[in-house]
Amino acid sequence: MSQANYKIVIFGDSQLASLAHFYFKHDSPHQVVGFTVDRAYAKESEYEGLPLVPFEEVTQHFPPDSYQMFLPISFKQMSYLRRAKYEAAKEMGYTLVSYVSSKATTWGDLTIGDNCFIFEDNTIQPFVTIGNNCVLWSGNHIGHHSVIKDHVFITSHVVVSGCCTIDEHTFLGVNATIRDETHVAKATLVGMGANITKDTQPFEIHLGQSSTKMRKRSIDLDSLSHKSGG
């Protein structure tokens, strides 16, 4: 990712936009100069003390030859809404910046697309590729030689083991685990705590794994080890 100093406009006036403003302000070389939302949702003329302009007029206020844009939009409709705005901004001529936290662990070979939002404490191992318009919330492990394709949303404390492929529009919930060499197909929804051990099919839903209640009392259990009994 380039470390050039750009003036950027953020799409939105929600908590996600507020977070993006905070991270860019405190942990990037870029300067946030304004916000934009669809005219129908523009209730104020300012947000975070900066101009808030209708998306339909944003090129008049912040022309794309002088300003860049960042669109931190949620995972609703499996990130197809975020994709639509992403493509609209590009059609307007904007270059889209990505944010990678300085508190994330990355290596020099990391390939990452545009409009990605990567929070602190992500561990992204060597030979990983991340596509366009992806969100990786805090604390994830992305294993070596894995490929995260476009428009993917990964929440927090997710484990993507080595050599996995996560297809576009996938959503991975908190504490989900993807086994090594697994192909997660397009728009798969993986719920909180689910363990994915086999390839998935497009648009499948995998909800969380329930715990197993044992017939013992906790005070009587000597060990939780499955090997040593220690």
Side-chain angles (χ1 to χ4, degrees):
M1 184 176 68
S2 172
Q3 290 301 306
N5 186 348
Y6 298 122
K7 294 181 178 179
I8 62 174
V9 180
I10 293 176
F11 183 93
D13 60 356
S14 66
Q15 292 181 355
L16 260 175
S18 178
L19 276 173
H21 175 244
F22 180 92
Y23 283 115
F24 275 112
K25 180 178 180 179
H26 295 286
D27 188 35
S28 89
H30 309 314
Q31 178 187 3
V32 179
V33 296
F35 293 84
T36 183
V37 294
D38 291 340
R39 180 182 287 111
Y41 299 99
K43 299 177 181 178
E44 306 287 345
S45 59
E46 290 188 356
Y47 185 66
E48 299 284 2
L50 296 171
L52 173 65
V53 302
F55 188 61
E56 293 84 350
E57 302 172 6
V58 65
T59 58
Q60 300 172 30
H61 299 274
F62 303 105
D65 58 352
S66 300
Y67 299 91
Q68 302 202 6
M69 188 173 287
F70 185 68
L71 300 96
I73 300 174
S74 79
F75 49 81
K76 289 181 180 178
Q77 296 184 13
M78 299 303 292
S79 298
Y80 278 94
L81 290 178
R82 190 169 79 253
R83 177 177 183 169
K85 286 300 175 190
Y86 166 88
E87 292 176 345
K90 298 196 80 163
E91 288 176 1
M92 290 176 172
Y94 285 101
T95 298
L96 307 182
V97 299
S98 284
Y99 168 81
V100 180
S101 171
S102 65
K103 301 179 187 303
T105 299
T106 63
W107 296 90
D109 69 331
L110 175 63
T111 299
I112 181 172
D114 58 13
N115 203 55
C116 289
F117 198 0
I118 298 179
F119 289 67
E120 63 273 14
D121 296 329
N122 276 280
T123 296
I124 303 174
Q125 292 191 317
F127 309 113
V128 167
T129 298
I130 298 175
N132 300 314
N133 199 30
C134 294
V135 177
L136 279 67
W137 215 272
S138 56
N140 302 296
H141 168 91
I142 310 298
H144 62 94
H145 294 93
S146 287
V147 177
I148 311 296
K149 296 191 177 180
D150 298 345
H151 319 297
V152 167
F153 199 110
I154 300 177
T155 58
S156 293
H157 299 281
V158 170
V159 174
V160 175
S161 303
C163 304
C164 290
T165 298
I166 312 299
D167 272 352
E168 62 180 14
H169 292 283
T170 289
F171 173 89
L172 303 181
V174 173
N175 285 323
T177 298
I178 313 299
R179 185 180 182 177
D180 58 295
E181 300 181 334
T182 299
H183 180 195
V184 179
K186 177 181 179 179
T188 298
L189 192 161
V190 179
M192 178 181 69
N195 296 324
I196 302 300
T197 60
K198 298 179 180 178
D199 295 349
T200 70
Q201 298 300 313
F203 299 97
E204 283 185 345
I205 299 173
H206 295 260
L207 297 183
Q209 184 182 56
S210 300
S211 62
T212 300
K213 180 181 177 181
M214 300 181 68
R215 294 187 178 181
K216 295 181 178 179
R217 296 199 318 150
S218 59
I219 194 71
D220 298 327
L221 195 65
D222 291 329
S223 173
L224 289 173
S225 171
H226 71 113
K227 286 187 177 179
S228 67

